[in-house]
Amino acid sequence: MGTPWTAPDHPAASGVPLQPEDYAQRVLRADVQGMHAYAVQDARGLIKLDAMENPYRLSPALQAELGARLGAVEINRYPGPRIEVLREALAVYAGMPRHGYALMLGNGSDELISLLAMACDRPGASILAPEPGFVMYAMSAKLQGLAYHGVPLTPDFALDEAAMAEAIEAHRPAIVYLAYPNNPTANLWDEAVMERLIALQARLGGLVVIDEAYQPFSSRSWIDRLRVQPHHYPNLLLMRTLSKFGLAGVRLGYLIGPTALVQQIDKVRPPYNVSVLNAECALFALDHADVFAVQAAELRAQRAMLLERLAGLPGVQVWPSEANMILIRVPDAHAVFAGMKARGVLVKNVSALHPLLANCLRLTVGTPEENAQMLQALQAALTDLQATA
């Protein structure tokens, strides 16, 4: 057998072995190399209030019941009929319209966002969303090679209807994302403004995705309008996740929309994207939805307490919340974040994510004990800041 031919400009021709970073530079997309990976903070040894997780674990009895169910799952087989059972159970739980609508599963809503970008990746296509908002809308668009257009909110974090309409007219995006409530601002948009933007996007032939990740803590849901007028929103998709429900570790999201639309998007979904263990965990949780409803009610009550207490702290600006997080502005976000972390409480410093978030921290609503420690750490960090001023 002869020696394989090597092109003169091939790196092996120089006789100098390449390092892994050299292969990455030669092979991977330049824009990917220039991106920042999604950062997950190290929470070891800290009270974790940075990621809007449900802080409550299952009781020992429910842990044992779930363990028995998972132990009986046929993990030697690819996912099968139980996935269809889960889709039906989620449709009932969400109150999906029964005629003309379908439900698609995702490995968390992150995967659904990526699949939507993939399905809409036509020449010149783009994605548009108000900002500050969920970072995965922009990241998924860029990873798929789509243009992304962010439209700033107003200073009080409302939708800027005129700016949104102008951007939609100018860019004709394939998808407009409207998070309801929004992350990290935790507020609901004006429904009349949303209706007009949905109608505008419909006239221009584009989709609107309403992201209801924080629905368990919100006073309103767009599903109510879909049930009343199921045929009024032919371009609307409703996205949810079970992460905030209490299953962040399970990774399960779902997309609801007109059947003809969902069936087309579903073609880009990997055939076995939801594991049998994830599906069984979700079915178990839905069987015990009353337990998780009690947890959500407790978190809403704790949110109300936190909003009242935070509003009374000198130097703190707090915004209303319809989620299990609260956005606050402090005199120096970096110093207060560091002071809270030094006292064992981890929150999210979002001040660098967008100019509108200058000196803002995002606080997750936790258990009563966690919230008390968070308030104590915040007050102490603010006192330290005043002492050094």
Side-chain angles (χ1 to χ4, degrees):
M1 176 179 284
T3 302
W5 176 80
T6 302
D9 62 347
H10 192 280
S14 66
V16 179
L18 294 181
Q19 300 302 310
E21 56 268 26
D22 298 319
Y23 288 105
Q25 187 174 6
R26 291 179 61 87
V27 175
L28 301 184
R29 285 165 34 189
D31 60 332
V32 171
Q33 294 181 55
M35 289 180 182
H36 295 286
Y38 188 96
V40 177
Q41 299 186 98
D42 186 355
R44 288 174 293 184
L46 301 171
I47 296 173
K48 193 174 187 302
L49 296 173
D50 68 321
M52 292 83 72
E53 295 150 320
N54 180 332
Y56 295 106
R57 299 189 62 182
L58 294 175
S59 68
L62 288 180
Q63 288 180 31
E65 183 182 339
L66 175 60
R69 281 181 64 161
L70 294 181
V73 170
E74 294 183 334
I75 59 173
N76 58 312
R77 303 290 186 189
Y78 285 113
R82 291 296 277 175
I83 302 296
E84 297 306 313
V85 173
L86 174 58
R87 292 209 303 185
E88 177 60 26
L90 283 170
V92 172
Y93 170 77
M96 184 182 81
R98 304 309 295 168
H99 301 290
Y101 274 73
L103 185 148
M104 172 180 166
L105 296 176
N107 189 255
S109 57
D110 288 349
E111 185 189 37
L112 291 171
I113 293 167
S114 296
L115 293 176
L116 283 163
M118 184 186 302
C120 295
D121 189 5
R122 302 180 69 171
S126 66
I127 289 174
L128 185 146
E131 290 187 337
F134 187 34
V135 296
M136 291 306 297
Y137 305 148
M139 185 174 288
S140 65
K142 293 171 183 176
L143 287 172
Q144 195 58 36
L146 293 168
Y148 172 78
H149 307 289
V151 181
L153 298 170
T154 66
D156 60 349
F157 302 127
L159 285 174
D160 187 331
E161 182 177 4
M164 286 286 292
E166 182 180 357
I168 291 171
E169 291 272 11
H171 301 296
R172 307 293 175 100
I175 298 173
V176 170
Y177 279 100
L178 296 174
Y180 190 74
N182 188 45
N183 172 18
T185 58
N187 57 319
L188 291 171
W189 311 127
D190 183 301
E191 291 183 353
V193 173
M194 290 178 67
E195 284 279 7
R196 289 191 289 270
L197 293 176
I198 292 168
L200 172 60
Q201 181 72 341
R203 290 196 299 273
L204 297 177
L207 304 178
V208 173
V209 177
I210 295 181
D211 184 353
E212 291 194 344
Y214 301 94
Q215 179 274 328
F217 313 101
S218 174
S219 61
R220 300 197 300 274
S221 168
W222 211 264
I223 197 72
D224 298 325
R225 291 176 177 245
L226 293 184
R227 281 200 298 266
V228 173
Q229 295 179 294
H231 306 297
H232 184 66
Y233 301 99
N235 68 323
L236 182 64
L237 297 165
L238 186 68
M239 184 168 64
R240 288 186 178 179
T241 177
L242 291 184
S243 292
K244 315 310 173 186
F245 177 86
L247 303 183
V250 171
R251 311 308 303 130
L252 191 29
Y254 55 104
L255 191 71
I256 291 172
T259 301
L261 186 53
V262 172
Q263 285 180 340
Q264 293 299 320
I265 299 168
D266 194 52
K267 293 177 181 179
V268 302
R269 179 183 57 82
Y272 303 119
N273 65 324
V274 174
S275 80
V276 288
L277 295 175
N278 290 22
E280 202 61 40
C281 281
L283 284 166
F284 171 84
L286 293 175
D287 286 345
H288 297 281
D290 57 330
V291 173
F292 292 91
V294 169
Q295 294 173 0
E298 172 61 22
L299 291 171
R300 291 193 298 270
Q302 285 295 305
R303 178 184 66 194
M305 180 277 297
L306 282 172
L307 287 169
E308 182 178 355
R309 293 285 302 277
L310 289 166
L313 293 180
V316 174
Q317 181 181 6
V318 59
W319 280 272
S321 171
E322 288 275 350
N324 62 335
M325 58 181 154
I326 298 173
L327 187 73
I328 64 171
R329 175 167 285 134
V330 294
D332 186 333
H334 296 287
V336 173
F337 170 82
M340 295 181 71
K341 187 174 181 181
R343 291 170 173 83
V345 178
L346 184 67
V347 296
K348 182 76 170 180
N349 182 358
V350 297
S351 59
L353 296 182
H354 193 276
L356 288 172
L357 296 174
N359 280 322
C360 283
L361 300 176
R362 187 188 67 197
L363 317 177
T364 297
V365 180
T367 65
E369 297 76 19
E370 290 173 338
N371 295 331
Q373 290 177 272
M374 177 174 65
L375 285 169
Q376 186 177 22
L378 174 59
Q379 289 175 301
L382 289 168
T383 300
D384 289 348
L385 188 62
Q386 291 173 343
T388 59

